[in-house]
Amino acid sequence: MSSHGKTEASPSSVPSITIETMEIPLTYEAVIPHWFYHKIQDDRGSWNPFSREDSEKLEAAFCSGQNPNSIVIPVCGGRYDVYLGSRRMLSVYWDEEDSEAQRCTWFYQGDKDNKYVPYAENFSEILEDTYMQAVTGNEWKRRLQSPSRELIILHNPKLMVHYQPTGIPDEWGATPSEQGRPRTVKRGVENISVEILPGEPAQIDHLVFMVHGIGPACDLQFRSIVQCVNDFRFVSLNLLHAHFKKAHEQDQIGRVEFLPVNWHSALHADATGVDNDIQRITLPSIGRLRQFTNETLLDLFFYNSPTYCQTIVNTVCGEMNRIHRLFMERNPTFKGHVSVTGHSLGSLILFDLLTNQVDPTLSIHIRAKASVRSAGPQTPRHTLQKVLEELELTDLISVFEKEMMDIDTLVMCTDQDLKGLGIPLGPRKKILNYVKHRGHLKESNCTAMETSLTSDLTQPPLTSGSTFNVVNYEYFDVGIGQVRIDYPQLSFHPHIFFAWGSPIGMFLTVRGLKRIDPNYQFPTCKRFFNIYHPFDPVAYRIEPMVLREEEFEPMLIPHHKGRKRMHLELKEGLTRMGTDILGSLRVAWQTFTRPPVPSLPPPTAEAATLSVSDLSLAADTNSAVKSEEVSVKEEPVHLDVGMLNGGQRFDYVLQEKPIESFNEYLFALQSHLCYWTSEDTALLFLKEIYQTMGISMDQPLQ
């Protein structure tokens, strides 16, 4: 025992190594470092490598000689920032626990999935110095002790092991001499089995906001919206390189950025207190099932509540505006479009939000018409200063001017917004009472102006009821059962609206809307796609609400590898073959069972002039015409499904997998959550986005 009371590992306690030390002299070359990151919230606790491009940027900043505490490097497509001094990686657009970043050179084989774990930076430097001395002096079997008192032996350049004690240190801090199973030690990232993903193109062609549905989890693995969007981004990037290879090689395209929009945490946060209120009335039995219901299914009821519907809509719109503003600040050269995607309830939220947007190019015209045609004397428009003077709150003028608020913005403010500005409770009550009173005035004026406003809109609204009564879409809550709330405005105009597994059609129907006017478009969004899986129990079609007179199938989304899936082609072929066989049997049966021809009356003079061949030709022509009529009836040549998607079809159905076709009910829940990893869905996104830019795929899918 040493003077410190610690037992040193004896050579006899180390398992013998039969491989001899290499006698061939080696030339020392410095190890090439690679940067890794470790997400603390990740249950697997694994270290993941940065892309080579990000690692090179971090290494260049590390070697620049500048003060590391002042260096911030954007990584992972600009969605994270690495603070070099503290070695922390922070998310930019959403709330997430900080992650570790590290410069890695030496690794040992870990316990979880045999993945390699990097040593700490300071101990890696010690290992590298020891390795350099062994190479230059050709003296191996060197021993080192890690900070956790574990033994590392460098037998030769090809054999380096890490021994972890199997016992528990005694009360004096001495570790037992017995050693556990040796672990492999590797030098340099090129010697370990790890996948280093390619970097993302710096050029961003399009931005897509993705809004989740009910509950905090988005798939069967109970992953968050951030993790699911990461998967979809990865899938789309691979498809972009595979199906737009020509345009990518010619630097015509960059990539599409997908960013998550989380509203569930804001609804269930402590600010609303709804979780505590629900918990107080929840029964104690079947606790797990009731907890699942409170976290997920209740979101549907919250959306039908005026109080919490306003919270949800404000959160979704506010998050998209905040992220869009931050994105533009970090990408000042971005000139592309912005689209939105909603899954399940998220699609309904976006539908209602986009329905109640105001096109600024039409707003001036509409206000002018309304001021001329509205009945009764016109009251002068109040300014924010006059309102505050009436409420005796002139000392708050500077607060509102600092936030650049006018009277219209004040009307949209909630109690939480005013509280966030630091306004006391008494003045808040006065302001909210004014807002409520002004809302009643606006509603009464709305009824008087509804007919004139609707007739002046260049985009006709939806129709409601069996007689197709016109509903003014600026006040969408009147007439079809929608919750009466104030819809905020987006700071951008969405280019395309993609809905996944959407219950929009069902909600519109139960609200009392029987038909969508074919000429209706979203005020600020001209394209719309309703994408669903055939077994999705939550999804509904929307095209039949526009075209009620026809029975027709939705558009089939092509498989990302081309053509239909094999089992669908086989099923279609067997169906066609069965139809042909049944038709042949029917003709044969009619031939054998045809009754005898009765005696006919003498032919007329006109019929007598026709030959037998002429009669046969006439019969064939008549039969062909009837057959063509049936064919046209079964497969309409042109379908007018309205202007929701600019005059094009918008109901799109995915192809089910072969295993899913065996039992529809077994895969029902999975089919509602499949979109986040669906390559067919991602390719449809890319196709429609880049088609508007005049860029098509290398080979069109059929």
Side-chain angles (χ1 to χ4, degrees):
M1 180 177 294
S2 64
S3 59
H4 297 283
K6 298 181 181 179
T7 303
E8 296 294 335
S10 61
S12 60
S13 64
V14 181
S16 60
I17 305 297
T18 58
I19 300 178
E20 298 293 337
T21 304
M22 297 182 63
E23 300 295 339
I24 303 175
L26 300 175
T27 303
Y28 173 76
E29 294 181 359
V31 64
I32 300 176
H34 194 94
W35 289 74
F36 280 65
Y37 65 92
H38 167 61
K39 292 193 174 183
I40 300 175
Q41 70 275 13
D42 190 351
D43 295 335
R44 295 173 298 177
S46 59
W47 286 82
N48 303 299
F50 285 102
S51 66
R52 295 197 181 278
E53 291 82 355
D54 287 343
S55 180
E56 290 174 358
K57 287 193 301 182
L58 291 168
E59 183 64 18
F62 176 81
C63 300
S64 64
Q66 301 179 16
N67 182 10
N69 294 324
S70 62
I71 299 178
V72 180
I73 304 297
V75 295
C76 300
R79 296 179 296 275
Y80 291 88
D81 284 337
V82 171
Y83 291 77
L84 205 62
S86 60
R87 298 292 198 271
R88 311 300 290 178
M89 185 174 75
L90 279 66
S91 59
V92 174
Y93 298 107
W94 56 83
D95 292 332
E96 183 179 296
E97 192 173 353
D98 297 353
S99 303
E100 287 184 69
Q102 183 174 311
R103 183 175 183 263
C104 304
T105 53
W106 285 77
F107 307 84
Y108 68 92
Q109 198 170 26
D111 294 329
K112 297 181 179 179
D113 302 329
N114 290 327
K115 291 185 177 181
Y116 282 89
V117 180
Y119 288 103
E121 290 188 37
N122 53 357
F123 186 66
S124 294
E125 294 178 359
I126 298 175
L127 284 170
E128 183 65 17
D129 291 339
T130 306
Y131 178 85
M132 180 182 64
Q133 295 173 12
V135 170
T136 56
N138 198 21
E139 297 177 359
W140 293 93
K141 293 189 178 179
R142 291 178 174 267
R143 301 168 181 271
L144 296 92
Q145 196 172 59
S146 69
S148 58
R149 298 183 55 78
E150 297 175 0
L151 184 64
I152 296 96
I153 302 179
L154 309 183
H155 290 283
N156 59 56
K158 299 297 182 182
L159 182 60
M160 296 175 284
V161 290
H162 177 142
Y163 294 100
Q164 184 177 20
T166 57
I168 302 175
D170 58 23
E171 59 183 357
W172 300 99
T175 56
S177 60
E178 181 185 357
Q179 304 295 329
R181 181 177 61 87
R183 301 178 177 182
T184 305
V185 176
K186 295 292 184 181
R187 174 179 179 267
V189 70
E190 65 276 3
N191 293 318
I192 65 175
S193 56
V194 63
E195 182 183 7
I196 300 178
L197 299 176
E200 302 178 34
Q203 175 185 336
I204 300 177
D205 304 320
H206 203 95
L207 174 62
V208 180
F209 291 115
M210 311 192 83
V211 182
H212 64 84
I214 62 173
C218 294
D219 63 0
L220 292 177
Q221 301 177 23
F222 297 98
R223 296 185 304 168
S224 65
I225 175 68
V226 174
Q227 294 171 308
C228 290
V229 171
N230 287 342
D231 268 2
F232 193 83
R233 186 187 303 110
F234 177 74
V235 169
S236 66
L237 194 60
N238 288 339
L239 291 172
L240 190 65
H241 293 160
H243 292 273
F244 294 83
K245 187 176 181 180
K246 183 178 179 181
H248 182 69
E249 291 175 348
Q250 297 176 356
D251 293 331
Q252 295 180 347
I253 61 175
R255 64 183 173 94
V256 179
E257 179 62 281
F258 299 90
L259 296 178
V261 177
N262 184 3
W263 56 265
H264 183 271
S265 58
L267 175 65
H268 294 267
D270 296 336
T272 61
V274 64
D275 287 340
N276 294 332
D277 296 338
I278 293 295
Q279 190 61 36
R280 293 177 62 187
I281 61 176
T282 300
L283 301 181
S285 59
I286 54 174
R288 292 185 178 180
L289 181 58
R290 296 188 190 278
Q291 181 181 0
F292 171 79
T293 302
N294 291 347
E295 291 182 350
T296 56
L297 299 182
L298 280 182
D299 288 344
L300 293 172
F301 299 99
F302 288 149
Y303 190 68
N304 288 321
S305 162
T307 301
Y308 297 111
C309 180
Q310 187 73 63
T311 301
I312 294 173
V313 172
N314 287 348
T315 302
V316 171
C317 183
E319 274 294 286
M320 286 195 291
N321 287 341
R322 180 189 66 83
I323 298 175
H324 180 258
R325 181 177 65 254
L326 186 57
F327 176 84
M328 295 304 298
E329 291 175 357
R330 295 174 63 90
N331 301 273
T333 60
F334 176 74
K335 302 298 182 184
H337 291 289
V338 182
S339 294
V340 293
T341 302
H343 175 234
S344 189
L345 180 61
S347 65
L348 179 64
I349 297 171
L350 288 176
F351 183 89
D352 291 340
L353 186 63
L354 293 179
T355 296
N356 289 275
Q357 296 298 293
V358 176
D359 189 346
T361 61
L362 300 176
S363 59
I364 299 177
H365 172 72
I366 293 175
R367 285 198 298 266
K369 293 287 186 180
S371 62
V372 173
R373 299 186 182 186
S374 57
Q378 299 296 311
T379 58
R381 178 179 175 86
H382 284 190
T383 63
L384 179 61
Q385 184 174 359
K386 290 183 179 180
V387 170
L388 294 177
E389 289 175 355
E390 292 178 5
L391 299 177
E392 299 180 352
L393 299 174
T394 54
D395 54 334
L396 298 178
I397 293 178
S398 60
V399 177
F400 291 103
E401 288 180 349
K402 182 179 179 181
E403 297 294 330
M404 295 186 294
M405 296 178 61
D406 55 11
I407 186 63
D408 294 330
T409 310
L410 179 65
V411 172
M412 294 187 292
C413 285
T414 63
D415 183 68
Q416 292 295 329
D417 296 331
L418 298 175
K419 186 177 180 180
L421 295 176
I423 300 176
L425 179 61
R428 292 206 309 268
K429 292 296 184 181
K430 288 185 177 182
I431 296 174
L432 292 176
N433 183 60
Y434 168 80
V435 170
K436 181 178 179 181
H437 179 69
R438 189 176 187 272
H440 289 315
L441 292 177
K442 177 181 178 181
E443 183 179 340
S444 60
N445 291 336
C446 162
T447 305
M449 295 188 298
E450 184 171 339
T451 304
S452 61
L453 282 174
T454 305
S455 62
D456 291 327
L457 289 174
T458 58
Q459 301 169 347
L462 297 181
T463 54
S464 174
S466 57
T467 57
F468 304 120
N469 297 323
V470 175
V471 176
N472 184 1
Y473 241 69
E474 187 176 359
Y475 306 97
F476 184 48
D477 57 342
V478 180
I480 59 173
Q482 191 180 18
V483 177
R484 188 184 304 275
I485 63 173
D486 293 325
Y487 282 91
Q489 299 297 304
L490 293 170
S491 60
F492 58 90
H493 289 179
H495 186 59
I496 308 176
F497 169 28
F498 297 96
W500 290 352
S502 174
I504 292 174
M506 183 268 291
F507 268 82
L508 292 181
T509 301
V510 299
R511 286 172 178 174
L513 191 67
K514 296 184 179 296
R515 183 173 183 264
I516 298 177
D517 192 290
N519 294 320
Y520 176 73
Q521 283 183 323
F522 294 116
T524 59
C525 182
K526 308 306 180 187
R527 304 291 307 280
F528 170 65
F529 288 89
N530 180 38
I531 303 170
Y532 62 92
H533 190 284
F535 304 155
D536 189 341
V538 181
Y540 289 82
R541 293 191 62 185
I542 304 179
E543 286 180 344
M545 297 187 68
V546 179
L547 190 60
R548 297 172 58 90
E549 296 78 14
E550 296 284 350
E551 294 289 338
F552 57 98
E553 296 295 325
M555 297 292 290
L556 187 67
I557 299 178
H559 191 259
H560 67 279
K561 294 183 179 179
R563 302 180 63 85
K564 291 183 180 179
R565 293 183 183 269
M566 183 178 297
H567 72 288
L568 293 179
E569 287 192 346
L570 181 62
K571 180 180 178 181
E572 193 175 272
L574 292 175
T575 303
R576 190 183 303 111
M577 183 184 301
T579 303
D580 294 341
I581 294 175
L582 289 176
S584 301
L585 291 176
R586 187 181 297 109
V587 172
W589 178 257
Q590 291 175 353
T591 302
F592 284 110
T593 60
R594 181 175 298 168
V597 179
S599 58
L600 299 176
T604 61
E606 181 180 359
T609 59
L610 296 175
S611 63
V612 177
S613 59
D614 294 333
L615 290 174
S616 300
L617 180 61
D620 293 341
T621 303
N622 187 30
S623 176
V625 170
K626 290 183 178 180
S627 176
E628 183 179 357
E629 291 176 354
V630 172
S631 176
V632 170
K633 183 177 180 180
E634 293 178 354
E635 296 292 338
V637 177
H638 176 70
L639 292 175
D640 183 9
V641 293
M643 298 302 295
L644 264 178
N645 192 28
Q648 303 178 23
R649 300 285 302 275
F650 52 85
D651 275 353
Y652 279 77
V653 60
L654 290 166
Q655 301 179 35
E656 72 273 14
K657 297 178 181 178
I659 191 174
E660 295 174 342
S661 61
F662 287 106
N663 193 321
E664 299 178 1
Y665 296 94
L666 183 62
F667 294 94
L669 179 59
Q670 178 179 329
S671 66
H672 181 60
L673 306 173
C674 71
Y675 309 99
W676 301 105
T677 56
S678 171
E679 294 172 307
D680 298 348
T681 302
L683 189 57
L684 178 64
F685 269 54
L686 299 177
K687 173 179 172 292
E688 295 299 330
I689 286 173
Y690 281 105
Q691 190 174 17
T692 59
M693 299 171 56
I695 299 175
S696 57
M697 294 190 299
D698 296 336
Q699 293 182 353
L701 298 180
Q702 297 180 353

